[in-house]
Amino acid sequence: MGAVTLGLLGSHLGVAHAADEQETGADTSLTTSVAETDPVADEVSPESEADDGDPDAAPSAEDLALGADSTAGEPEAAPETAEDGERVGLAAGQQATCDGRVKDVAGPDAQYAACASPLEPAVELTSDEQAVLSQLEAPADTSAAESAVLAAEAEAGQAGSEATPQTAAEDTAPPVAPADESDTAAAAARPKPWKEPKWCIDAGVDNTWYIERMRGCGIWRAEVNVEDVRTGRKIGGIKYIVIGYSFSARDSKTWAYQVRLLETKRWGRGVNGTKASGSASCIGKCKVAKKNFPGQTISKSAEPYGQFFMDTTINTSASKQRGTGRSVASWTFSNREWVAPSEPTKLSTVDVRCDNALPGAPRQVGCVTLQAVPVISYSQTGPWPEVAKHIKDAQATGLPGKYGTTNFLTRLTDRKKSQENRDKACPSSLERPPGKSCDEYPFASTWQGAKYGNGKFSRRMVNAKQNTDAGKALKGFYTYSRVLEGDRFLVWIR
């Protein structure tokens, strides 16, 4: 008989009894390490056993709705570096470049020049920053507005766009200032700034991207100072905060990026009439499809903003393609009293992965924030309480996937291997009480399942309908959050 390790949840079975147990009760859950020679391990589970279905079959509308409802939108701080190891945020060494440039533009007729500071972290908000952020109307749920923006862009197609392939080298090219938005009619025709999610505003100014599977947002502090080129002294300046906001969609090849500049304080001379304008580039498997950041006045009552759309450049004519890209917004400040505009300030997003590799949705392209780990949530007071309680108890024994840890589950899309996981955890020889079915954890559709994990798993007889519907929700979650082969995810039991 193979070695057996038991973690009993709601059961008082002894080791020898449990090893031979064939009548697992409704309230019995166990964590088991079963040798390959276990006589029940290779028996096929009943066809009616609830699971998350064939990974190659498209989820039904019901599955997708259940998956969307079960997806927990909990933002997390993004890693400081991108997938390629480059730091996310501002390019390094800007201050030295800025000081050198002031000397370069100095001439016999020059009086003022501008120097933009690096984006800086804030230990705590100033009263001016608190006042600006408190005036923002930030919705708790931005998904409907984001969907409308991307749908409108898809409908508009490439009309009026400036779509050209972008490379990392272009990101260092000298900026070309767009035309001023001085015409009132033109300004009125521009799309209004998109409202960032409430959790972004609540996070404060800490130079960090906060990310969910479909969006990222963060707030930075910066300033632009005016120097007298004859004396080298700072004679004025504008302090402002930058809100970076990006969002994508599970069924779109395009993602959006906005930067908004909000003045918090100004002082001295040479700052009145200052305008901001900008552009964007894309690093990786992407291109700029549309960019809109004309010259706009910055003041306490005027907030310059730029809006950009990025398209993936993966080969969508081939199957199972995926690629990542990173948007980079840049902006400069100009003033009629300055000899030249400021050097550009740059802010890059976190990596966005676009793919057409989702099982059950061949050729459908969608994009997600790569480093955001998706979370599926089950409630103990929701529609599947028996399943939720089983998972909670199983995670309490140390099994992987618990929300708030880095002990992730990883998706397995091979149908045969998933079935082997299922048959190992819930063989047909186990008696199913009336109205019950066998629920296993970790899920059979993960590499941590009973067959392909470390041999530890939990099973419990639960309400059959709850088990079936929870499985549908899991399949819908995979599709909704574009969880591909090998992608990490967590399970939150509320």
Side-chain angles (χ1 to χ4, degrees):
M1 179 168 51
V4 179
T5 303
L6 300 175
L8 299 177
L9 307 172
S11 172
H12 299 287
L13 298 177
V15 174
H17 184 194
D20 297 322
E21 181 63 43
Q22 298 297 314
E23 298 182 0
T24 307
D27 297 325
T28 301
S29 180
L30 48 125
T31 304
T32 316
S33 178
V34 186
E36 292 299 322
T37 57
D38 187 339
V40 302
D42 297 323
E43 293 190 37
V44 180
S45 60
E47 292 183 2
S48 59
E49 192 81 339
D51 57 62
D52 55 4
D54 181 358
D56 292 324
S60 67
E62 178 190 9
D63 297 345
L64 196 54
L66 290 172
D69 290 342
S70 301
T71 299
E74 293 295 319
E76 58 186 285
E80 293 184 354
T81 57
E83 189 182 36
D84 58 7
E86 289 293 320
R87 185 176 176 84
V88 173
L90 187 74
Q94 179 170 335
Q95 188 64 53
T97 302
C98 184
D99 291 341
R101 187 171 182 275
V102 169
K103 296 178 181 179
D104 292 340
V105 300
D109 299 323
Q111 184 175 5
Y112 300 150
C115 191
S117 76
L119 303 182
E120 299 173 352
V123 176
E124 59 183 43
L125 295 177
T126 66
S127 58
D128 296 313
E129 291 167 340
Q130 289 175 337
V132 168
L133 291 176
S134 66
Q135 296 173 4
L136 297 179
E137 298 179 5
D141 186 359
T142 56
S143 56
E146 293 164 354
S147 296
V149 167
L150 292 173
E153 178 60 21
E155 187 175 338
Q158 297 299 316
S161 70
E162 303 172 5
T164 54
Q166 301 287 326
T167 65
E170 287 183 272
D171 189 40
T172 61
V176 178
D180 282 355
E181 192 178 71
S182 55
D183 183 82
T184 304
R190 279 192 79 207
K192 299 298 182 184
W194 306 317
K195 292 182 179 180
E196 302 87 356
K198 185 177 185 302
W199 50 258
C200 180
I201 307 304
D202 292 344
V205 185
D206 63 359
N207 276 29
T208 301
W209 279 101
Y210 288 87
I211 54 176
E212 293 180 335
R213 196 63 167 175
M214 304 294 177
R215 59 187 60 84
C217 191
I219 307 177
W220 287 259
R221 168 190 285 168
E223 60 184 285
V224 57
N225 293 304
V226 182
E227 294 188 15
D228 187 323
V229 297
R230 295 164 298 184
T231 64
R233 294 179 54 229
K234 293 181 181 179
I235 57 148
I238 297 175
K239 294 185 177 182
Y240 66 101
I241 55 178
V242 183
I243 306 181
Y245 172 37
S246 68
F247 53 90
S248 61
R250 51 165 294 275
D251 55 0
S252 175
K253 68 174 184 177
T254 301
W255 75 90
Y257 181 27
Q258 173 180 278
V259 290
R260 189 152 58 129
L261 317 182
L262 289 74
E263 179 179 318
T264 58
K265 187 176 182 179
R266 66 171 56 197
W267 63 280
R269 295 174 288 149
V271 292
N272 290 339
T274 297
K275 293 185 176 183
S277 60
S279 188
S281 60
C282 212
I283 299 172
K285 291 289 187 178
C286 56
K287 66 181 180 182
V288 179
K290 186 179 291 184
K291 45 192 173 185
N292 190 342
F293 197 164
Q296 304 154 73
T297 300
I298 182 170
S299 69
K300 281 291 184 71
S301 59
E303 303 168 355
Y305 62 97
Q307 294 176 334
F308 316 105
F309 290 96
M310 312 290 165
D311 280 354
T312 181
T313 56
I314 63 171
N315 180 15
T316 56
S317 62
S319 63
K320 298 183 179 180
Q321 300 297 298
R322 63 176 81 182
T324 60
R326 189 164 69 251
S327 316
V328 182
S330 63
W331 59 92
T332 61
F333 294 94
S334 61
N335 190 296
R336 291 182 179 179
E337 295 189 59
W338 305 346
V339 66
S342 69
E343 278 289 287
T345 299
K346 299 175 183 179
L347 180 65
S348 70
T349 65
V350 294
D351 289 316
V352 174
R353 182 190 70 192
C354 297
D355 74 88
N356 65 348
L358 187 67
R363 299 292 191 270
Q364 182 201 68
V365 182
C367 303
V368 298
T369 304
L370 178 62
Q371 292 169 309
V373 178
V375 178
I376 184 170
S377 177
Y378 294 120
S379 172
Q380 296 182 86
T381 58
W384 319 302
E386 292 187 19
V387 175
K389 181 66 164 61
H390 175 212
I391 296 173
K392 180 181 179 181
D393 290 345
Q395 290 179 343
T397 70
L399 290 176
K402 185 177 181 180
Y403 177 70
T405 73
T406 56
N407 194 9
F408 303 109
L409 296 174
T410 50
R411 189 180 180 191
L412 169 65
T413 58
D414 185 289
R415 184 180 182 183
K416 182 177 181 293
K417 288 183 171 62
S418 294
Q419 189 60 51
E420 289 173 344
N421 276 337
R422 189 169 294 112
D423 294 340
K424 173 72 75 173
C426 293
S428 60
S429 57
L430 289 175
E431 180 181 343
R432 276 73 168 167
K436 300 287 186 176
S437 65
C438 182
D439 180 42
E440 80 278 357
Y441 187 85
F443 306 124
S445 54
T446 68
W447 282 101
Q448 291 72 34
K451 172 76 172 181
Y452 288 94
N454 62 4
K456 296 181 179 180
F457 62 91
S458 178
R459 65 182 171 223
R460 180 179 293 179
M461 296 299 163
V462 301
N463 178 279
K465 186 176 188 311
Q466 289 186 29
N467 202 8
T468 297
D469 289 345
K472 290 180 178 180
L474 180 60
K475 181 171 184 175
F477 161 76
Y478 286 151
T479 301
Y480 181 80
S481 296
R482 297 196 77 89
V483 184
L484 306 184
E485 168 68 34
D487 276 3
R488 306 174 300 172
F489 69 98
L490 293 168
V491 186
W492 185 8
I493 304 302
R494 297 178 187 265

